Amino acid sequence: MTLLEYVLAAIILVALEFVYIKIAHNLNIVDKPNVRSSYKKPMICGGGIIFLFGAWIWSCFYGFQYPWFLIGITLIAGISFVDDIKPLPVSLRIMVQIISMGLIFHEWGILAWSNWWMLLMVFIICIGVINAYNFMDGINGITGGYSLALLLPLLYLNYKNGFVESGLMEVMLLAVLVFCFFNFRRHALCCAGDVGSVGIALFFVFVLGKLIIQTGDFTYIVFLAVYGVDTVLTIVHRIMLHENLGQAHRKHCFQILANELNIPHVKVSLFYAFLQLFISIGLIMISDNSVGRWIYVAITITLLSAAYILFMRKYYHLHEEYLKKINN
């Protein structure tokens, strides 16, 4: 892409976001806070639709090179947008996620029933990643910041290995930057909504999958380590508490940091983003397909898990006190 093309794409994305916010305001598409929310005031919901716009802009200007990916992200973001406006049955959303992942498998060229057991395992991991990314959305800047922390090392690797069309990643980077302008601030103008968090999650699943398939190196999954550990251990924690996993909550580390410890959203989001970026850079610095990379992944997961457990042992009582207060 030339400089002029970058500028044109950025102008279009900014204009589309402004138009969406105006429409959402007029149609009252807002996320109203409740006792489980980290927001204190109603906020325009669905600003993350800019990620879907980014995928379509690149495809329209540079050819529909990944048609199945485009259909998949449109389906999964579309159903998520409807869910943002009016809650839909979980079964319907899961069905659309299954269809979208099937389309991604087809785009990857791995949709072969002879390897059904491997496809099933990959499918479960991918659906888990998509929903984890959605679970981790909830404070100003975290989706945009973490997405930047993923995109930057992926762009670097793509320039070296060329596993996906660079223009797609560059336009998506612009879309994330535009979203950050509206959301990565103390008083956000909009939140991503499910349309944003689920949409960008599918994009990262697609790109990471392309990288792993081309290199045969599964250690790149550590690019999602911070979100992964927080999500998995929070689910384990809630199971131990005998909670309904389908019920809204605010027990993630980032939520306790922002709510119970009153650390500004932007600072928490920056911490998560830089921590993940540091971890990703560490992996890149280790020789490809070496045993050292797996040792690095194991150490990273162990340290993140230990940090999560120690943090919860020290500060979770603050959340319990909050729950007692709102229930009395």
Side-chain angles (χ1 to χ4, degrees):
M1 291 177 63
T2 65
L3 178 60
L4 180 60
E5 290 171 333
Y6 282 123
V7 173
L8 179 60
I11 292 173
I12 294 173
L13 286 167
V14 171
L16 286 173
E17 189 76 324
F18 269 118
V19 169
Y20 171 75
I21 290 176
K22 180 66 175 178
I23 293 173
H25 177 74
N26 292 337
L27 297 179
N28 197 34
I29 303 176
V30 298
D31 185 13
K32 298 178 181 178
N34 53 49
V35 295
R36 307 290 180 178
S37 303
S38 297
Y39 297 112
K40 296 181 179 179
K41 296 180 180 179
M43 187 184 306
I44 296 296
C45 184
I49 198 171
I50 195 70
F51 306 138
L52 177 61
F53 291 158
W56 271 96
I57 288 171
W58 178 80
S59 298
C60 290
F61 279 91
Y62 300 99
F64 294 84
Q65 300 182 46
Y66 301 120
W68 303 112
F69 158 73
L70 187 62
I71 296 172
I73 194 173
T74 302
L75 284 175
I76 203 169
I79 198 70
S80 298
F81 181 64
V82 175
D83 187 59
D84 283 332
I85 299 173
K86 183 178 180 179
L88 297 173
V90 175
S91 57
L92 177 59
R93 286 182 281 130
I94 292 296
M95 182 179 69
V96 174
Q97 290 181 13
I98 291 172
I99 294 171
S100 297
M101 276 313 308
L103 294 169
I104 295 299
F105 281 10
H106 186 62
E107 193 73 78
W108 285 341
I110 65 171
L111 199 58
W113 296 115
S114 57
N115 297 324
W116 66 269
W117 59 272
M118 184 179 69
L119 291 178
L120 179 61
M121 182 174 62
V122 174
F123 170 80
I124 293 172
I125 293 173
C126 291
I127 292 294
V129 168
I130 291 170
N131 285 286
Y133 220 94
N134 189 26
F135 295 157
M136 294 297 290
D137 183 37
I139 63 173
N140 297 347
I142 195 162
T143 294
Y146 198 83
S147 295
L148 286 177
L150 288 182
L151 267 169
L152 294 177
L154 284 171
L155 272 167
Y156 169 77
L157 290 171
N158 194 51
Y159 291 141
K160 288 181 58 178
N161 303 316
F163 51 89
V164 72
E165 288 294 326
S166 61
L168 172 61
M169 296 186 67
E170 291 162 359
V171 171
M172 293 302 285
L173 175 62
L174 288 175
V176 172
L177 289 172
V178 170
F179 175 70
C180 284
F181 174 77
F182 289 90
N183 176 261
F184 207 139
R185 53 174 72 192
R186 182 179 179 184
H187 301 294
L189 301 179
C190 66
C191 64
D194 286 359
V195 61
S197 56
V198 172
I200 197 67
L202 187 77
F203 166 74
F204 283 122
V205 165
F206 170 65
V207 173
L208 270 172
K210 292 277 286 184
L211 173 60
I212 291 170
I213 290 169
Q214 178 169 310
T215 61
D217 190 347
F218 193 72
T219 60
Y220 286 114
I221 197 68
V222 82
F223 280 17
L224 296 166
V226 176
Y227 265 18
V229 169
D230 196 331
T231 299
V232 171
L233 292 187
T234 299
I235 290 174
V236 172
H237 187 195
R238 297 190 68 203
I239 291 174
M240 293 172 62
L241 295 172
H242 305 289
E243 291 187 355
N244 178 4
L245 297 182
Q247 184 179 16
H249 69 96
R250 51 185 241 184
K251 288 181 168 62
H252 287 289
C253 275
F254 77 89
Q255 292 169 318
I256 293 177
L257 285 167
N259 297 314
E260 278 70 28
L261 296 180
N262 295 312
I263 300 175
H265 288 201
V266 171
K267 290 185 178 180
V268 176
S269 298
L270 283 172
F271 172 71
Y272 268 66
F274 277 110
L275 179 58
Q276 182 58 69
L277 185 61
F278 175 79
I279 290 169
S280 299
I281 292 173
L283 181 74
I284 291 173
M285 294 176 65
I286 303 173
S287 301
D288 293 346
N289 294 307
S290 66
V291 175
R293 290 169 75 90
W294 281 109
I295 295 174
Y296 178 81
V297 171
I299 292 174
T300 298
I301 299 301
T302 300
L303 290 177
L304 288 175
S305 300
Y308 175 95
I309 293 170
L310 291 173
F311 177 84
M312 286 299 179
R313 286 176 65 88
K314 185 172 183 179
Y315 294 112
Y316 183 70
H317 71 92
L318 297 175
H319 182 66
E320 292 179 319
E321 292 170 7
Y322 165 78
L323 292 178
K324 291 179 181 177
K325 181 179 178 181
I326 64 173
N327 289 328
N328 289 336

